Amino acid sequence: MRKRTIIISLICIWSAAIIMIIFSVVSGRKPYKDLEAVQIVSATVQLSPPDKTIQITEIKEFVDLLKDVVIYNKDHSYTEYSGQGITFTLVMTDGTQTSIMEYNPFLVIDGVGYKAKYEPCEALNHYANMLLERTEKPAFADNTQEVTFQATVIEVADNSILVEPVDDSMELDSADKFSIPNKEKLALQIGDTVEIVYNGDILESYPAQLGEVYKITLLEQAKADAMWDRIPMVRINNKLYYDTGRESTVIGRCGNMDGEITSTVDGTEIPMEDNQSNFGSGFGYQYGANDTIEIYMNEKWFVFEYREESE
């Protein structure tokens, strides 16, 4: 009787073990359910094709996907399949390294293949290809834009210009005057037609201002017979210096001149020779700071600054 009881007990234990094995095979297990982002030093993903490796920066987002992964029985038949292979490489804080290849419906962990649940594997695949798409976007593919409009210069200052948008331009619906920074110090004059490229933002001010100006291009120089003369300018050492409208504040100036304006052209022209101006001759000058020339006229010193020529 006792022997029979032992046999029945063994059968029950074997049956329970078999049931547990079958249950684990059917229900699967989550190998990364206890993984935390702080345990990972770095992670990369390699996609083949296109055989490209990408650094994973959002570790927590990646770990959340790994926690959902479910594997079943060992299965190396993935070698018979063809398609995109996605391999994640994890470097852990303890110095070890783990390789996880997603090859739906398989997962290969450190070279050992497993049949895996479809949905979590597909989520890993989608995640990797999303990272690939981000890296392949051109540099300009962001939220910025380039908007272009034309305008007429109505005032020229030291580092900016005041312009009026041409008729039928969208900008004219916002304001009739725009203050534009002239960072490149283009040699512009009243009446010039310019093309302005900016990011599309118009600030609420008057005169209106633009969010960010990318480029200013001179389209048409005001004609020489226009009602406006060119801004006073002088050419020295083959560089054009423009009147800033400011008087010099230098005190204790040296009495020796560095040079003299010896020739002049009409006020509507640009000086083409050294020591030539478009406002007269016989004026002495000295070199100033920050690429400027200070010219002595009518018992005062006036500051002229160097700007790149626009034509």
Side-chain angles (χ1 to χ4, degrees), residues 18-30 70-74 115-118:
I18 293 173
I19 292 173
M20 290 179 64
I21 292 173
I22 294 174
F23 179 79
S24 64
V25 170
V26 174
S27 62
R29 63 185 180 89
K30 293 184 175 182
V70 177
I71 58 175
Y72 303 110
N73 55 300
K74 291 182 180 179
K115 201 68 177 292
K117 189 174 181 180
Y118 179 86

Side-chain angles (χ1 to χ4, degrees), residues 260-304:
E260 182 181 330
I261 300 174
T262 57
S263 64
T264 185
V265 295
D266 188 78
T268 60
E269 299 180 23
I270 295 177
M272 303 304 294
E273 301 176 4
D274 279 342
N275 295 318
Q276 185 179 74
S277 78
N278 64 351
F279 54 84
S281 60
F283 306 113
Y285 62 81
Q286 292 180 348
Y287 295 109
N290 301 321
D291 215 353
T292 60
I293 294 291
E294 300 190 357
I295 301 176
Y296 189 63
M297 297 183 293
N298 301 323
E299 299 184 352
K300 294 181 180 180
W301 290 91
F302 294 92
V303 180
F304 284 63

Side-chain angles (χ1 to χ4, degrees), residues 6 28-29 43 59 82 97 99 106 125 136 138 140 182 184 193 199 212 221 252 267 286 292:
I6 293 174
R29 63 185 180 89
I59 300 295
S82 61
Q97 183 171 302
S99 173
F106 300 94
N125 182 286
E136 291 183 341
F140 58 82
N182 187 10
E184 298 179 358
T193 301
N199 67 346
E212 183 176 358
Q221 186 84 54
Q286 292 180 348
T292 60

Side-chain angles (χ1 to χ4, degrees), residues 7-279:
I7 294 174
I8 293 174
S9 298
L10 290 174
I11 292 174
C12 290
I13 293 172
W14 290 339
S15 298
I18 293 173
I19 292 173
M20 290 179 64
I21 292 173
I22 294 174
F23 179 79
S24 64
V25 170
V26 174
S27 62
R29 63 185 180 89
K30 293 184 175 182
Y32 300 109
K33 65 183 178 68
D34 297 323
L35 182 65
E36 298 296 335
V38 293
Q39 297 175 259
I40 302 175
V41 176
S42 67
T44 59
V45 57
Q46 181 183 33
L47 297 91
S48 300
D51 194 22
K52 187 167 184 176
T53 301
I54 302 168
Q55 187 73 36
I56 298 175
T57 56
E58 299 295 333
I59 300 295
K60 186 179 184 307
E61 181 181 6
F62 171 54
V63 169
D64 288 342
L65 293 173
L66 282 180
K67 286 184 174 184
D68 291 335
V69 167
V70 177
I71 58 175
Y72 303 110
N73 55 300
K74 291 182 180 179
D75 191 331
H76 289 275
S77 62
Y78 67 88
T79 56
E80 302 172 6
Y81 286 70
S82 61
Q84 185 185 46
I86 295 176
T87 303
F88 298 93
T89 302
L90 284 64
V91 178
M92 314 303 290
T93 53
D94 61 4
T96 60
Q97 183 171 302
T98 300
S99 173
I100 306 168
M101 185 175 79
E102 184 279 324
Y103 204 61
N104 212 0
F106 300 94
L107 206 68
V108 183
I109 303 175
D110 293 330
V112 180
Y114 298 89
K115 201 68 177 292
K117 189 174 181 180
Y118 179 86
E119 289 79 6
C121 277
E122 185 63 21
L124 283 174
N125 182 286
H126 177 75
Y127 173 72
N129 279 281
M130 179 187 67
L131 294 179
L132 176 64
E133 183 181 355
R134 288 178 184 173
T135 60
E136 291 183 341
K137 281 186 177 181
F140 58 82
D142 52 23
N143 292 328
T144 62
Q145 59 177 328
E146 291 189 358
V147 177
T148 302
F149 74 101
Q150 295 181 12
T152 303
V153 177
I154 57 177
E155 188 177 313
V156 178
D158 292 347
N159 299 305
S160 65
I161 56 175
L162 194 64
V163 302
E164 179 182 347
V166 298
D167 293 340
D168 299 327
S169 65
M170 178 189 70
E171 287 69 20
L172 189 59
D173 294 335
S174 298
D176 61 342
K177 292 180 182 179
F178 283 79
S179 179
I180 310 296
N182 187 10
K183 296 178 181 178
E184 298 179 358
K185 296 187 179 296
L186 295 178
L188 301 172
Q189 64 174 342
I190 296 174
D192 288 348
T193 301
V194 294
E195 181 178 78
I196 300 169
V197 183
Y198 71 108
N199 67 346
D201 294 336
I202 298 178
L203 307 183
E204 294 184 2
S205 62
Y206 190 81
Q209 299 180 64
L210 304 176
E212 183 176 358
V213 176
Y214 299 132
K215 187 177 181 181
I216 302 174
T217 304
L218 177 64
L219 296 181
E220 184 178 351
Q221 186 84 54
K223 294 181 180 179
D225 59 354
M227 61 179 293
W228 303 284
D229 284 351
R230 290 184 183 273
I231 185 173
M233 63 185 77
V234 59
R235 185 180 294 273
I236 298 174
N237 296 329
N238 201 31
K239 295 168 65 176
L240 273 178
Y241 293 83
Y242 293 77
D243 182 17
T244 64
R246 303 194 308 267
E247 284 189 44
S248 174
T249 58
V250 173
I251 300 175
R253 182 186 300 274
C254 171
N256 296 324
M257 297 293 183
D258 293 321
E260 182 181 330
I261 300 174
T262 57
S263 64
T264 185
V265 295
D266 188 78
T268 60
E269 299 180 23
I270 295 177
M272 303 304 294
E273 301 176 4
D274 279 342
N275 295 318
Q276 185 179 74
S277 78
N278 64 351
F279 54 84

